[in-house]
Amino acid sequence: MTIWAWPAIVFGAVLFTATAVRRRYGLALGFAGYAIGAALLSGVASGPVRFAAPLAALVIGYWLTKPFYTSPSPRLETWLLRYDEAMQIDRISAGMPGWAKALVEIAYLGAYPFMVVAAIPAFAASRDAFAWHWAMVLAAELSCYVTLPWLQARPPRENGDRPHFFAKRKNGVCPHFLRRLNEALLDRLSVRATTIPSGHVAGPIAAALSIWMIAPAWGPWLLAGALAIAAATVIGRYHYAIDAVLGLAVGAAPPAIRWFWT
């Protein structure tokens, strides 16, 4: 078993306990199987499996939290929106030119391939570097997902009668294909709740800072991309500002700990 499995094991153990206490035994078995599967896959030597296994742990861990989302907390949503309104995020978003809004959508969409691209220099460096890279990324991402049983809120784009990012609609359909693509992916692949902190922010930040330690030439470019993704989550109204700020902190924490440790 390699180091990247430990965040998955801890994540699985915490949510196994949470579901067992609630007598949701089928879901509890799912989290137990998730932790065991991560431990077993982390020891596989085959190159393709070794590259894909931690990414699978990331995706499956996220999807396993979906049954926890029952209903949003009005009090939590009001608190989150209060800070967005103080920062006038909706006004800033609505006033952006169309080309800038398109760049926001591209940046948000880029979070998915970003995690794969960021893993390449770690994989090329060494097996140990790759394991530590994913240990830091999974620690950040799974820390965001593990809060869903207790912190439940809709993303701001779905919260109330809010202005749409692309204000002009045709027959109720957003006119911009990039926005439609992002929303279609979220409708089909997400748990339909905002994660607090934002996993969409924490993962890329952790990945960029990890690679900065492993392959410094890649670091500034990846960090710039991760910060663009973080900004897009808020400006595009996919996450609240508080989600993104917490995501930045959670994403930076594992690489910082690793850096001080070494």
Side-chain angles (χ1 to χ4, degrees), residues 4-251:
W4 73 255
W6 282 108
I9 291 170
V10 172
F11 172 81
V14 170
L15 293 185
F16 169 83
T17 303
T19 49
V21 167
R22 298 180 186 189
R23 299 184 179 181
R24 301 179 70 176
Y25 299 120
L27 189 55
L29 287 175
F31 283 110
Y34 170 83
I36 293 169
L40 293 175
L41 282 174
S42 72
V44 175
S46 169
V49 175
R50 184 160 56 87
F51 186 87
L55 185 62
L58 172 65
V59 174
I60 293 170
Y62 175 71
W63 284 340
L64 278 174
T65 64
K66 187 171 185 177
F68 286 115
Y69 183 57
T70 53
S71 61
S73 165
R75 181 177 297 180
L76 176 60
E77 289 185 342
T78 299
W79 180 76
L80 292 167
L81 280 171
R82 184 183 307 154
Y83 289 94
D84 280 12
E85 289 167 358
M87 298 172 66
Q88 301 186 355
I89 302 295
D90 283 329
R91 185 184 65 81
I92 293 170
S93 297
M96 293 177 65
W99 62 265
K101 292 182 178 183
L103 290 178
V104 166
E105 296 299 333
I106 291 170
Y108 185 83
L109 184 64
Y112 308 111
F114 184 95
M115 303 306 291
V116 178
V117 171
I120 294 172
F123 189 80
S126 70
R127 183 166 184 167
D128 184 63
F130 184 74
W132 272 105
H133 169 76
W134 273 107
M136 289 182 277
V137 172
L138 287 173
E141 288 274 22
L142 297 179
S143 293
C144 300
Y145 304 159
V146 79
T147 66
L148 189 59
W150 302 278
L151 299 176
Q152 299 192 356
R154 293 166 294 175
R157 67 188 180 91
E158 296 181 0
N159 190 346
D161 186 19
R162 314 189 62 72
H164 194 269
F165 189 46
F166 289 93
K168 185 179 179 181
R169 288 170 172 261
K170 299 176 181 178
N171 300 322
V173 177
C174 176
H176 202 284
F177 77 98
L178 285 171
R179 185 67 174 202
R180 292 200 305 271
L181 174 59
N182 274 322
E183 291 185 341
L185 288 172
L186 291 172
D187 288 343
R188 289 164 175 77
L189 301 178
S190 78
V191 300
R192 302 303 299 272
T194 188
T195 55
I196 308 169
S198 168
H200 219 88
V201 173
I205 290 293
L209 294 176
S210 166
I211 294 302
W212 202 318
M213 291 187 287
I214 295 168
W218 287 65
W221 301 102
L222 290 175
L223 183 59
L227 291 173
I229 291 167
T233 65
V234 179
I235 296 171
R237 312 312 289 127
Y238 294 105
H239 276 276
Y240 303 92
I242 292 293
D243 301 347
V245 171
L246 292 174
L248 286 168
V250 170

